[in-house]
């Protein structure tokens, strides 16, 4: 029997979470190192998945299938395509940086009668989220996917509510209330989406008789499973609603700014660069593959929602006073581009959307983690409390600038390629949508450059005059992300070679072909 590599990749961080949580409170440093070593070992397993995956081979590879709940047709089924492999690689790559960046974020701190939760709990929860995200990318049984899609909300709730940002202008008591509010709002929004999806999952079982993604898709393709048009549309809406909340897509986005504002910077990265990707990934894997006709039926409305997300998120980012909320609204705008690329129903759009998931994860991690280092030094999230930082901490300012330029999709940095592909893919089929979406690029340049100008340039404020530059641990976190942004900006081929065959198969699922060029190539 072959080694269950996919199970091992998800099980290792799960076991690591249990082991980290069991470390005695007096051994905080040991818990940190254990979590870091587990995350690095998980990265090694993800690299093994990447090496063994053949982009030109079968659609789902390294598959595992075992009976679980026979009476309900539930099987423990795992398998990865190129899109899942790319996102597993992204997840396992970011987690070690998240752990390193949050090295001191959960250290015990007495504030009146309040004491921060044990350090080992913070790192155990991060590993638990990693395990659930990985298996969500691997699951090809709809019921198995649903379980972990919902289960990841529990550790995220405690990370937001129990280990929130200590920088708060109104004191610890107000900060505690805000953290609780953000955590409850995150949980309620996602639970409502999950409950609606559960109804759709049950409906899918009633229609198909099982939960296997591959079997249902194959039965639909060969005509042995007939689904009424109205039934397919209702089931699609149930799945899409949950994924749109997780993504997040306007108008279901309002939980994200609160969650990111009240979280520590590493947890904010975990939310938007890792957890939220499950929503957009699931749109490709489940919505388009299980409900192709309903996906095409809903496309015009979804594209309008994505366009609103792009412009609305960017406009609100321009007016933000809080650094973290600015990055949150920028992410809402970027997720609009991802959803637009998925439902443009072109190979360029979907390839760009998948590449955007990877590149957005790296660029947001770089920008938010540097912002977190900045906030920890000053003790404030407010943009107005900074000024002249580049004169006292030039390395911090420089990395902050590169992260910001990646956020605005500067040519030569990774997000540019993906955003360009999304816009090209959208324009070829929906030119009006593509043209309006470019306005989001202009706004991105505005909010990014204004943020840099107000925090890093100008006279040095007295409160930042003694600010230290990036330390060795912080450089270890930021430098690899900057290198990746530049490398994938000039050479995205390693990622596109993996995802393009999967995108072609997704296009085949919805029976779509790229529009023919209006002008023929010269002979």
């Amino acid at each position: 029997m072959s080694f269950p590599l996919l199970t091992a990749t998800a099980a290792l961080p799960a076991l690591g979470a249990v082991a980290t949580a069991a470390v005695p409170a007096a051994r905080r440093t040991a818990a940190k190192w254990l979590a870091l070593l587990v995350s690095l070992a998980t990265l090694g397993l993800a690299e093994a998945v990447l090496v063994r995956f053949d982009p030109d081979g079968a659609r789902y590879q390294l598959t595992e299938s075992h009976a679980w709940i026979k009476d309900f047709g539930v099987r423990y089924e795992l398998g990865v395509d190129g899109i899942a492999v790319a996102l597993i690689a992204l997840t396992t790559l970011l987690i070690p940086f998240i752990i390193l960046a949050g090295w001191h974020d959960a250290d015990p701190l007495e504030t009146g009668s309040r004491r921060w939760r044990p350090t080992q709990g913070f790192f155990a929860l991060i590993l638990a989220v990693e395990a659930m995200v990985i298996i969500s990318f691997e699951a090809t049984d709809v019921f198995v996917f649903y379980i972990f899609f919902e289960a990841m909300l529990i550790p995220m709730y405690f990370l937001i509510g129990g280990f929130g940002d200590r920088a708060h202008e109104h004191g610890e008591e107000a900060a505690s209330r805000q953290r609780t509010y953000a955590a409850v709002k995150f949980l309620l929004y996602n639970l409502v989406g999950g409950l609606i999806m559960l109804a759709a999952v049950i409906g899918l079982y009633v229609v198909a008789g099982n939960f296997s993604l591959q079997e249902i898709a194959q039965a639909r393709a060969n005509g042995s499973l007939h689904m009424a048009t109205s039934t397919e549309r209702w089931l699609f809406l149930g799945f899409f609603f949950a994924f749109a909340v997780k993504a997040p897509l306007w108008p279901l986005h309002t939980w994200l700014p609160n969650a990111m504002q009240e979280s520590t910077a590493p947890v904010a990265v975990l939310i938007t660069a890792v957890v939220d990707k499950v929503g957009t990934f699931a749109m490709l894997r489940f919505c388009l593959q299980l409900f192709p006709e309903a996906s095409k039926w809903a496309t015009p409305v979804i594209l309008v929602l994505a366009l609103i997300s792009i412009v609305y998120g960017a406009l609100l980012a321009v007016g933000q006073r809080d650094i973290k909320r600015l990055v949150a609204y920028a992410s809402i705008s970027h997720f609009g581009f991802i959803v637009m690329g998925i439902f443009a129903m072109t190979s360029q759009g979907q390839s760009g959307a998948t590449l955007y998931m990877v590149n957005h994860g790296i660029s947001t991690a770089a920008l938010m983690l540097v912002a977190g280092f900045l906030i920890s030094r000053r003790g404030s999230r407010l943009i107005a409390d900074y000024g002249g930082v580049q004169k006292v901490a030039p390395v911090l300012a420089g990395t902050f600038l590169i992260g910001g330029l990646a956020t605005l999709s500067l040519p030569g940095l990774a997000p540019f390629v993906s955003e360009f592909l999304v816009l090209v893919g959208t324009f070829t089929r929906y030119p009006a949508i593509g043209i309006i979406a470019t306005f989001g690029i202009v706004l991105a340049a505005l909010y990014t450059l204004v943020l840099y100008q107000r925090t890093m340039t100008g006279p040095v404020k007295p409160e930042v005059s003694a600010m230290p530059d990036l330390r060795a641990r912080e450089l270890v976190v930021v430098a690899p992300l900057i290198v990746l942004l530049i490398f994938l900006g000039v050479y995205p081929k390693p990622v596109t070679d993996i995802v393009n065959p999967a995108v072609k198969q997704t296009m085949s699922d919805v029976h779509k072909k790229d529009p023919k060029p209006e002008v023929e190539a010269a002979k």
Side-chain angles (χ1 to χ4, degrees):
M1 184 176 179
S2 60
F3 180 71
L5 186 55
L6 296 186
T7 295
T9 306
L12 180 58
L15 295 174
V18 174
T20 302
V23 174
R27 305 288 301 274
R28 294 191 302 273
T29 303
K32 296 176 184 180
W33 281 106
L34 176 59
L36 180 60
L37 290 174
V38 169
S39 69
L40 291 173
T42 306
L43 175 59
L45 288 176
E47 291 301 316
V49 171
L50 184 61
V51 169
R52 290 185 58 183
F53 182 78
D54 179 10
D56 297 319
R59 179 169 194 172
Y60 292 106
Q61 300 178 34
L62 307 175
T63 55
E64 303 173 30
S65 181
H66 307 282
W68 186 13
I69 309 175
K70 293 183 179 180
D71 292 341
F72 294 99
V74 179
R75 298 184 62 82
Y76 175 76
E77 286 189 351
L78 305 181
V80 289
D81 59 4
I83 299 170
V85 167
L87 293 175
I88 290 171
L90 170 70
T91 300
T92 56
L93 174 69
L94 290 181
I95 295 298
F97 296 130
I98 289 171
I99 290 173
L100 272 176
W103 200 252
H104 298 297
D105 284 356
D107 287 349
L109 176 68
E110 295 287 357
T111 307
S113 62
R114 177 178 174 80
R115 184 178 179 86
W116 292 89
R117 292 179 184 272
T119 302
Q120 62 270 31
F122 177 75
F123 295 100
L125 290 170
I126 291 175
L127 291 176
V129 173
E130 179 183 24
M132 295 175 187
V133 169
I134 289 172
I135 204 165
S136 297
F137 291 141
E138 296 173 344
T140 56
D141 183 280
V142 177
F143 191 78
V144 173
F145 170 82
Y146 173 78
I147 289 175
F148 291 98
F149 180 81
E150 286 294 274
M152 71 179 71
L153 301 179
I154 299 171
M156 285 306 310
Y157 170 81
F158 288 108
L159 283 170
I160 297 168
F163 298 94
D165 192 356
R166 298 173 181 177
H168 200 288
E169 62 270 24
H170 299 302
E172 174 59 23
E173 185 177 348
S176 178
R177 290 196 301 269
Q178 290 296 322
R179 284 195 295 270
T180 301
Y181 172 78
V184 171
K185 189 174 183 179
F186 161 83
L187 188 64
L188 289 178
Y189 267 69
N190 284 274
L191 277 179
V192 169
L195 288 173
I196 292 174
M197 180 183 170
L198 177 60
V201 169
I202 295 171
L204 181 66
Y205 175 75
V206 171
V207 173
N210 65 78
F211 293 103
S212 173
L213 170 69
Q214 298 183 70
E215 290 184 16
I216 296 173
Q218 182 62 34
R220 297 217 62 191
N222 60 29
S224 59
L225 173 61
H226 298 283
M227 194 179 296
T229 299
S230 60
T231 301
E232 180 179 349
R233 290 177 178 179
W234 280 113
L235 294 178
F236 167 85
L237 290 174
F239 277 77
F240 180 80
F241 183 87
F243 302 153
V245 172
K246 184 86 78 178
L249 185 68
W250 184 91
L252 306 171
H253 66 285
T254 59
W255 63 267
L256 181 65
N258 295 100
M260 289 185 66
Q261 180 184 25
E262 299 303 327
S263 300
T264 63
V267 173
V269 171
L270 187 65
I271 295 170
T272 191
V274 176
V275 172
D276 288 354
K277 298 300 187 300
V278 178
T280 47
F281 163 80
M283 292 178 189
L284 280 165
R285 171 166 283 192
F286 295 101
C287 287
L288 269 61
Q289 193 169 346
L290 292 175
F291 315 110
E293 296 306 317
S295 297
K296 290 186 285 188
W297 162 75
T299 287
V301 174
I302 294 173
L303 287 177
V304 171
L305 295 178
L307 184 61
I308 294 173
S309 290
I310 292 169
V311 178
Y312 172 85
L315 281 172
L316 265 65
V318 171
Q320 291 305 306
R321 298 168 55 246
D322 184 297
I323 296 174
K324 288 185 177 180
R325 288 185 73 88
L326 187 151
V327 178
Y329 280 110
S331 291
I332 291 169
S333 181
H334 296 150
F335 274 105
F337 278 108
I338 294 172
V339 174
M340 186 175 73
I342 292 171
F343 284 90
M345 301 294 182
T346 60
S347 58
Q348 299 99 326
Q350 292 187 356
S351 293
T354 306
L355 187 60
Y356 212 142
M357 293 185 219
V358 175
N359 292 338
H360 172 264
I362 299 170
S363 62
T364 298
L367 180 62
M368 179 57 82
L369 292 179
V370 177
F373 299 148
L374 180 70
I375 292 168
S376 67
R377 285 158 164 75
R378 175 67 178 83
S380 173
R381 301 189 302 250
L382 298 179
I383 297 172
D385 288 342
Y386 297 87
V389 174
Q390 68 180 12
K391 297 177 182 177
V392 297
V395 178
L396 188 154
T399 53
F400 190 80
L401 177 61
I402 295 174
L405 293 176
T407 299
L408 65 81
S409 299
L410 183 76
L413 297 175
F416 169 76
V417 181
S418 44
E419 196 165 283
F420 178 78
L421 285 173
V422 166
L423 289 171
V424 169
T426 304
F427 183 82
T428 56
R429 198 180 293 279
Y430 303 97
I433 297 288
I435 291 171
I436 299 173
T438 57
F439 186 57
I441 301 175
V442 179
L443 292 174
L446 179 60
Y447 63 68
T448 300
L449 296 178
V450 168
L451 171 65
Y452 184 84
Q453 179 191 36
R454 292 178 178 175
T455 55
M456 301 296 165
T457 65
V460 178
K461 290 199 172 184
E463 295 84 358
V464 304
S465 59
M467 180 178 288
D469 214 333
L470 291 183
R471 303 179 179 93
R473 172 180 60 86
E474 296 166 336
L475 284 172
V476 169
V477 171
V478 175
L481 298 174
I482 299 299
V483 171
L484 275 173
L485 287 175
I486 297 171
F487 175 77
L488 293 177
V490 298
Y491 191 65
K493 190 174 183 293
V495 180
T496 56
D497 283 350
I498 294 172
V499 303
N500 281 346
V503 166
K504 290 180 181 178
Q505 291 168 329
T506 304
M507 289 284 291
S508 177
D509 291 334
V510 293
H511 309 293
K512 282 283 191 178
K513 295 181 180 181
D514 290 329
K516 293 182 178 180
E518 295 183 4
V519 179
E520 294 184 2
K523 295 181 179 180

